[in-house]
Each structure stands twice: as structure tokens, then as C-alpha cells.
Amino acid sequence: MPAREKLQEQVNILREQLEQDPPLPAEKREALEALLARFETQLELEPATQTPSISDDVNQAAIEFDADHPVISGTLRNIMITLGNIGI
């Protein structure tokens, strides 16, 4: 599977995890949804026009969710790995 398709699949998995309504504080849920929206916008761009900050933002989100929501954190880490594989 091409890396961009894998990346979109992982974003879809993360959206599904959020829809299962884990007990997240409203501010964390909103921040993660904003990150996903930004991330999906970035997916539409060519890799050369993407900024490395999206990887930093995904990494920060993974760290924040690590203790209380390890499944979400794991999906975010998978996204980071895929970003690295496609040079972002």
C-alpha cells in the first residue's frame, strides 16, 4: 500500500477511535480534532510543500495522550512513522 494511502487509513482509524467516544476532556478532543483537520489538509498537498511542524504536532499529541489513552497515542505514533517514511 502506498504511504499516502496508509497515512489516510491511519487518519480514518483515529477518527473512528474518537467516534467511539473515549472519555476525553473537551479541550483535548477539540485539539485532536483540529490537528486531524489540519493533517487532512496537509495530506492534500504535495510532500514538498508540507511543513515538518505537522510531525511535531502529531508527536506532541501522542505524548499528551500516552498515559490516559494509549490506543489513540499508538495510532498517532503510527501516523508519525508513516510521515517519516514519506519524507515529512
Side-chain angles (χ1 to χ4, degrees), residues 31-43:
L32 189 53
E33 287 174 355
L35 177 63
L36 281 172
R38 182 173 164 230
F39 188 71
E40 288 174 328
T41 300
Q42 289 289 315
L43 273 175

Side-chain angles (χ1 to χ4, degrees), residues 25-71:
E27 66 275 359
K28 280 194 171 191
R29 178 176 290 279
E30 290 170 8
L32 189 53
E33 287 174 355
L35 177 63
L36 281 172
R38 182 173 164 230
F39 188 71
E40 288 174 328
T41 300
Q42 289 289 315
L43 273 175
E44 296 174 9
L45 301 174
E46 289 298 316
T49 63
Q50 295 179 356
T51 61
S53 67
I54 191 76
S55 296
D56 295 338
D57 293 345
V58 174
N59 184 44
Q60 183 61 38
I63 291 168
E64 290 175 15
F65 282 90
D66 205 28
D68 296 328
H69 303 283
V71 173

Side-chain angles (χ1 to χ4, degrees), residues 1-13 78-79 81-82 85:
M1 172 182 298
R4 291 181 78 77
E5 287 178 20
K6 182 174 182 163
L7 200 51
Q8 184 61 55
E9 180 181 299
Q10 291 169 345
V11 168
N12 293 341
I13 289 170
N78 287 339
I79 290 171
I81 290 168
T82 304
N85 289 341

